[in-house]
Amino acid sequence: MASHLEPYKHLAGAKQVAFTYTFDDAVPKVIVGDPTRINQVLINLVSNAIKFTETGSIRMHGSVLAVDEAEEAVELLFTVTDTGIGIPAEKQAVIFESFTQSDQTTSRKYGGFGLGLAISKKLVRLMHGEMGVSSPPERQGEGSSFWFSVKLNFVKSEELAMDDDEYELSYKVRDNYQVLVVDDNPINVLLIQDVLENYGAVVTTAEGGEEAVQIALDNPFDLILMDIQMPGVDGLEASSRLRRAGLKSPIIAFSANAYKDDIAKSMEAGMNDHLCKPFTNRDLVAILKKWA
């Protein structure tokens, strides 16, 4: 989990905002659950905090709410606290609704909170947890504190696998391997671009489906990573257009939605595979090896 958070230190630092993350010693090192979903929620909250914080700091803390040793069950609490613009009291009840934006001034400046919080709350509920926000946080005059809880099982024998961040660090794609990354979230673009370039890829980026179609038809690419949910022309429509135009390059759906129906829709639109957000080095290398 910490390996997924480390890159966000650099993104926050670029805005002169400090980002730290801590875990209580009581948090089990090995848990049984859905790490992808937990990371999706956590990274969405951290990304929003970076986006909406211009000065000050962002803190993530993981703690234990309850432990049942007999059942090997644990309830964890994750809190992301920032010194950003905050959420007006009258908006806190609706901030988790689909495409809710706090107010016109905020949406013009920051683009709103979007669908991420609505999806995050649904994912948390699927993990038998709760999610909420306090703004301003207790004993803090400004900012917001988003939190969520999840109920998981843990194992007592700590047989840890190789950390994903240490997986095949020496892997390299072939020379002049061209990748197009399409995503309307600049944080997602920066993260995957950095990782791909470390693997030797030449990366081109597009902020939306319309731009991606134009770039992909004008330039040859060995691989296209295509976000699904984008304003205007989304990833499904962009992929369909490219296939109808005769493009043969592999198109990989790059999305937080990894349900069977979502993957099926991606395949129907002409995509070849799926990379889930947040991705690990292991996941990305597997995609690159498969389609290189």
Side-chain angles (χ1 to χ4, degrees):
M1 189 173 297
S3 64
H4 289 91
L5 294 171
E6 189 65 24
Y8 290 85
K9 283 186 176 180
H10 305 291
L11 294 173
K15 297 181 66 175
Q16 304 299 310
V17 173
F19 172 50
T20 58
Y21 56 87
T22 55
F23 297 88
D24 284 349
D25 292 339
V27 174
K29 290 184 172 60
V30 184
I31 56 175
V32 180
D34 192 336
T36 297
R37 297 304 182 200
I38 295 173
N39 283 321
Q40 284 175 335
V41 176
L42 192 56
I43 287 175
N44 182 59
L45 296 183
V46 171
S47 297
N48 274 345
I50 294 173
K51 183 178 181 181
F52 290 91
T53 303
E54 297 299 331
T55 60
S57 63
I58 299 165
R59 308 184 309 277
M60 194 294 297
H61 185 65
S63 58
V64 173
L65 287 177
V67 177
D68 185 332
E69 294 286 351
E71 297 293 329
E72 294 188 358
V74 61
E75 185 175 9
L76 300 180
L77 175 67
F78 298 93
T79 305
V80 177
T81 304
D82 63 60
T83 57
I85 62 173
I87 310 296
E90 67 273 14
K91 300 297 182 182
Q92 292 179 27
V94 297
I95 196 63
F96 297 99
E97 294 181 4
S98 297
F99 296 109
T100 292
Q101 297 184 344
S102 60
D103 59 37
Q104 291 303 309
T105 301
T106 298
S107 64
R108 282 197 302 270
K109 184 176 181 182
Y110 298 102
F113 288 88
L115 186 61
L117 290 176
I119 292 177
S120 293
K121 190 161 189 174
K122 291 178 182 178
L123 291 176
V124 167
R125 285 177 174 170
L126 288 174
M127 294 184 285
H128 309 290
E130 299 292 335
M131 189 175 192
V133 61
S134 299
S135 183
E138 186 177 353
R139 296 188 299 274
Q140 185 173 305
E142 60 183 359
S144 303
S145 183
F146 284 86
W147 58 268
F148 69 97
S149 62
V150 291
K151 296 178 180 178
L152 306 163
N153 292 102
F154 65 91
V155 294
K156 295 178 180 178
S157 58
E158 298 180 1
E159 298 178 357
L160 298 178
M162 180 185 296
D163 188 276
D164 283 322
D165 259 12
E166 299 175 359
Y167 183 76
E168 295 205 60
L169 290 178
S170 61
Y171 175 77
K172 296 292 181 183
V173 295
R174 65 177 181 270
D175 289 345
N176 198 37
Y177 188 79
Q178 301 285 332
V179 180
L180 174 62
V181 174
V182 188
D183 199 311
D184 65 318
N185 186 324
I187 292 177
N188 290 338
V189 172
L190 285 172
L191 286 173
I192 196 164
Q193 181 176 358
D194 181 62
V195 176
L196 284 168
E197 288 176 348
N198 285 337
Y199 288 137
V202 179
V203 180
T204 302
T205 65
E207 295 181 355
E210 189 72 51
E211 181 185 8
V213 170
Q214 295 175 5
I215 293 175
L217 293 180
D218 291 339
N219 303 276
F221 289 98
D222 297 292
L223 187 75
I224 298 175
L225 289 171
M226 181 79 73
D227 186 26
I228 298 298
Q229 293 177 334
M230 296 181 290
V233 177
D234 64 15
L236 298 178
E237 174 61 23
S239 297
S240 295
R241 289 191 190 180
L242 289 171
R243 292 309 187 208
R244 291 196 299 268
L247 185 131
K248 303 298 184 183
S249 302
I251 304 176
I252 311 302
F254 184 42
S255 169
N257 295 336
Y259 298 110
K260 289 183 179 179
D261 289 345
D262 297 304
I263 295 175
K265 289 178 182 177
S266 301
M267 300 301 111
E268 290 171 5
M271 296 184 175
N272 301 91
D273 213 330
H274 188 279
L275 178 63
C276 190
K277 300 177 186 177
F279 65 91
T280 65
N281 285 352
R282 185 186 299 268
D283 297 332
L284 184 56
V285 168
I287 288 290
L288 292 173
K289 284 186 171 182
K290 183 176 180 180
W291 297 103

